[in-house]
Amino acid sequence: MAETAVRVRGLRKRYGDVEAVGGVDLDISRGEVFALLGPNGAGKSTTVEILEGHRRRTGGEVAVLGADPGRPTRSWRARIGIVLQTSGEQPPLSVRELVRHFAGYYPSPRDPDEVIEAVGLAEKAGSRLSQLSGGQRRRVDVALGIIGGPELLFLDEPTTGFDPDARRRFWKLIESLAGDGTTILLTTHYLDEAEALADRVGVIAGGRLVEVAPPWELGGRATARARVSWTAPEGPQALETDSPTQVVAELGHRFDGEVPGLTVTRPTLEDTYLSMIGADR
Ligand code: ADP
């Protein structure tokens, strides 16, 4: 039986005349990795900050780990972890000193050395923060987010500015946290990141959830027409079809073997997302 980590009904938030969030319903199960996608100004940060207990809502019901984040208690705060978008200033401490310091804020923290190991910084444990690369610094942010042993982790655009290799390594870290049963709510602008990590994605636009689905099903992707392309003697060819297997079989027959330049593609998550938010026009 899946328990609910986050339950949102009719969430609204107004800033003066601006309706930033206009009636969002959302359930996130325990152990789920959920990615919230949407263009700038869509209402992602507002929604997430309300769930984190950092912003007051105008209306609706919200339960995070069974409690109302509008009335956060110390013990509830200890059960969630937050990794914000930008890391603050760098205190003149080593990685180990900083992580140990933060462990002191929690009633039952994880072992600091284990956490440093988990985020892949064991070799840098004695290094000053100022000596770390951007990607390593982000791993410290994650270490601080998980040192309290959170049941629910909020990750705001975790890999912005990472090189591709650092992103892949960071994804492995998130996968291992998810594998340990941590519920994760991720916001990201990278569609490949959402696709790699998320069990489900929610697309928010204009303060409303447009759709919630597993990444491979979003916007009817799973049943979208396929595009078959190949290279004929007279030049590149392509057609869209509901039965690509049949088309490929016919091409195989026509070419009597290998079809030059053959590809079969369906819309990517990015294609689907851009058409959902109306940015493909
Ligand atoms: P996102 O995180 O998706 O970029 P936000 O939640 O930050 O979106 O913003 C949603 C809308 O609310 C935007 O129109 C933004 O300008 C507005 N907004 C956000 N924060 C405030 C604030 N503190 N005061 C007034 N308007 C705000």
Side-chain angles (χ1 to χ4, degrees):
M1 189 179 67
E3 275 183 89
T4 304
V6 173
R7 185 173 191 280
V8 174
R9 291 291 178 276
L11 178 63
R12 291 184 182 279
K13 175 67 181 179
R14 295 190 75 84
Y15 300 105
D17 291 341
V18 178
E19 188 173 64
V21 179
V24 162
D25 295 337
L26 178 64
D27 287 295
I28 300 175
S29 303
R30 283 197 187 250
E32 187 170 30
V33 179
F34 190 92
L36 199 54
L37 309 177
N40 290 329
K44 299 182 298 295
S45 308
T46 300
T47 303
V48 170
E49 285 168 14
I50 289 169
L51 301 182
E52 292 170 346
H54 284 155
R55 218 172 260 270
R56 294 207 155 272
R57 61 188 186 267
T58 310
E61 289 170 34
V62 182
V64 173
L65 302 178
D68 182 348
R71 287 188 286 275
T73 62
R74 233 180 120 83
S75 61
W76 176 81
R77 284 216 175 279
R79 295 167 63 206
I80 66 170
I82 300 177
V83 179
L84 296 170
Q85 205 169 331
T86 46
S87 32
E89 62 205 59
Q90 302 188 356
L93 297 174
S94 71
V95 171
R96 185 181 290 114
E97 286 166 342
L98 184 72
V99 174
R100 282 189 180 159
H101 176 75
F102 270 75
Y105 292 141
Y106 293 93
S108 46
R110 293 177 60 176
D111 177 74
D113 288 323
E114 257 178 47
V115 166
I116 291 167
E117 170 84 40
V119 300
L121 285 176
E123 283 169 20
K124 294 283 172 187
S127 302
R128 292 258 183 136
L129 299 174
S130 55
Q131 296 167 331
L132 302 182
S133 71
Q136 289 165 342
R137 197 43 246 228
R138 205 73 187 114
R139 286 165 174 261
V140 173
D141 293 338
V142 175
L144 301 183
I146 65 174
I147 185 65
E151 295 163 49
L152 170 62
L153 183 64
F154 292 96
L155 281 172
D156 192 8
E157 299 187 18
T159 62
T160 298
F162 279 30
D163 66 38
D165 176 48
R167 290 180 72 211
R168 291 297 164 112
R169 280 186 281 137
F170 197 86
W171 291 356
K172 287 240 174 330
L173 166 59
I174 302 309
E175 282 163 7
S176 80
L177 286 173
D180 291 341
T182 309
T183 308
I184 296 174
L185 175 53
L186 165 81
T187 62
T188 183
H189 282 298
Y190 297 117
L191 282 295
D192 57 343
E193 184 157 287
E195 185 144 43
L197 296 178
D199 298 307
R200 288 187 306 152
V201 299
V203 176
I204 190 166
R208 287 166 199 276
L209 260 184
V210 183
E211 192 177 338
V212 176
W216 58 91
E217 279 179 11
L218 197 81
R221 270 179 91 198
T223 53
R225 286 160 75 83
R227 181 181 171 86
V228 180
S229 55
W230 68 97
T231 311
E234 59 274 25
Q237 309 287 318
L239 61 80
E240 295 204 345
T241 174
D242 288 322
S243 48
T245 309
Q246 196 185 332
V247 171
V248 170
E250 283 164 13
L251 284 170
H253 190 68
R254 196 193 308 168
F255 283 90
D256 195 20
E258 281 303 312
V259 181
L262 176 68
T263 61
V264 180
T265 55
R266 305 220 185 231
T268 64
L269 183 59
E270 184 158 289
D271 295 334
T272 309
Y273 166 76
L274 290 174
S275 76
M276 289 178 80
I277 64 166
D280 60 338
R281 275 165 274 158

